[in-house]
Amino acid sequence: GHIVRNWKVRWFVLLQDKLLYYKIEGGKKEPSPKGRILLDGCTITCPCLEYENRPLVIKLKTKTNTDYFLECCSREERDSWALDITGAIHAGHPVQVQELHRKKNSFKLLENISLHHIVERMCDSSTGIKLTRNLEQGSRYKETFTGSALADWLISNSFAVSRFEAVTLASMLMEENFIKPVGARSTEATRYSDISEQFLDDSTALYMFAESSNKNTISKQELQFNISELSGTIVKQGFLVKQGHKRKNWKVRRFVLRADPAFLHYYDPTKEENRPVGGFSLRGCLVSALEDNGVPAGVKGNVQGNLFKIITKKDIHYYIQASSKAERTQWIEAIKPLT
């Protein structure tokens, strides 16, 4: 409400250039609208984080600087309304409509976004994600954030344009060990075999920064990878092709195998910076060759053969292609003693 700042149920109807809202009496909407919001020149904020306890709010600011706060019943409904309202705002601008559909229908997260940059932004003391104390099943956790809060933050900071992209990006942050689940709810989800189901966009699922619970004491180097991981003796290195966990596409990566401590890291050869884009401990891992007569379950896309698989202690499956059977054998024989 504009005068009394209370919340009331209204029936909304979206037209091409305006948003009408009606009072509800006896379960039915009244014939005449209670008010209207002209969409020409409007700006939309979704999710709107101005109300800490209301994560389902959309904010509309008219060109006369009037603010409207609209709360939806679910995240799916909120995102659907936001997308349709945005389309109506840009209806007279074909180029913006085309860009909106491109964002909705395409997904190029890996190429466009640096996970290291996102984590640095998350840790910013003024604009980063808000860390709070949370209680779950009698256990207290300091400096945590919920799955839904992270998804909201990623969207509001333009790292993702939809709930799907936010969950995908959060899954990548967890997979690459930037964040970790805490508490029974989120930890239980990591047992799913499908990586896409392991991060929960949920207000009861708790997460924290993986390297430290204190975001202010994490150096950039520690955020990216624990220094001890990269201190081991290099046993073997070379170029292999790795299947992505989300998009199931294949990309060339430079792999570096280290001992004491035993880690396998992989680097993007197109990047000038000599920092891993992923890696994992080899302790407790299983490594095996895959037969070339047919495509194994879990493998998609352009498979040339010479495949091998590494299953981590956390039951994450990595599928890797070598350039020849001999090279595959060499990598497997080098990795096995370190597991």
Side-chain angles (χ1 to χ4, degrees), residues 6-22:
N6 55 356
W7 296 83
K8 292 185 178 180
V9 175
R10 294 288 183 256
W11 180 269
F12 279 81
V13 176
L14 176 62
L15 302 180
Q16 186 173 1
D17 60 345
K18 64 178 72 73
L19 191 60
L20 305 179
Y21 53 94
Y22 299 76

Side-chain angles (χ1 to χ4, degrees), residues 3 22 36 58 69 72 78 84 153 157 208 244 251 265-266 323 329-330:
I3 307 303
Y22 299 76
R36 65 179 183 172
I58 298 169
F69 296 92
C72 300
R78 178 195 66 185
D84 291 337
W153 185 90
N157 284 271
M208 67 187 301
K251 291 189 176 181
H265 292 99
Y266 47 95
S323 60
T329 301
Q330 291 170 8

Side-chain angles (χ1 to χ4, degrees), residues 23-226:
K23 289 183 68 174
I24 302 292
E25 292 292 342
K28 296 181 179 180
K29 73 179 181 71
E30 293 187 342
S32 300
K34 174 74 174 175
R36 65 179 183 172
I37 304 170
L38 298 178
L39 297 178
D40 181 43
C42 260
T43 58
I44 183 170
T45 303
C46 178
C48 171
L49 304 181
E50 294 185 29
Y51 291 89
E52 184 175 345
N53 297 322
R54 294 181 180 270
L56 305 180
V57 169
I58 298 169
K59 177 182 177 181
L60 288 176
K61 179 184 282 291
T62 68
K63 65 180 180 181
T64 59
N65 290 323
T66 302
D67 291 339
Y68 290 88
F69 296 92
L70 317 176
E71 185 174 35
C72 300
C73 298
S74 68
R75 285 181 171 80
E76 292 77 15
E77 188 176 76
R78 178 195 66 185
D79 294 343
S80 177
W81 271 101
L83 185 68
D84 291 337
I85 292 172
T86 304
I89 291 172
H90 297 325
H93 307 279
V95 174
Q96 293 179 342
V97 173
Q98 187 176 8
E99 177 66 11
L100 183 69
H101 285 292
R102 186 195 67 77
K103 287 183 177 181
K104 179 183 177 183
N105 297 322
S106 67
F107 187 64
K108 298 181 179 179
L109 203 56
L110 283 173
E111 290 83 357
N112 296 339
I113 294 180
S114 163
L115 297 183
H116 307 298
H117 173 62
I118 291 173
V119 176
E120 288 176 11
R121 287 279 301 276
M122 287 174 65
C123 293
D124 187 277
S125 58
S126 58
T127 61
I129 191 165
K130 185 177 181 180
L131 301 183
T132 59
R133 294 179 180 230
N134 283 285
L135 179 67
E136 182 189 308
Q137 295 182 353
S139 299
R140 290 186 179 275
Y141 299 98
K142 294 182 179 180
E143 299 204 324
T144 60
F145 46 87
T146 66
S148 57
L150 176 54
D152 284 346
W153 185 90
L154 291 170
I155 294 172
S156 65
N157 284 271
S158 301
F159 289 117
V161 298
S162 68
R163 217 72 201 170
F164 168 74
E165 288 194 10
V167 170
T168 301
L169 183 51
S171 300
M172 292 176 186
L173 292 171
M174 189 166 67
E175 179 188 358
E176 301 297 351
N177 202 35
F178 288 113
I179 64 173
K180 67 179 182 181
V182 290
R185 179 89 170 88
S186 56
T187 303
E188 181 69 24
T190 62
R191 298 178 183 176
Y192 290 115
S193 58
D194 188 344
I195 190 72
S196 65
E197 299 177 354
Q198 293 184 10
F199 177 84
L200 300 178
D201 178 10
D202 194 300
S203 61
T204 63
L206 302 181
Y207 298 88
M208 67 187 301
F209 290 107
E211 295 297 334
S212 171
S213 60
N214 186 349
K215 64 180 174 56
N216 294 319
T217 63
I218 305 175
S219 70
K220 291 183 179 180
Q221 182 70 19
E222 288 172 332
L223 268 175
Q224 291 159 16
F225 282 94
N226 189 324

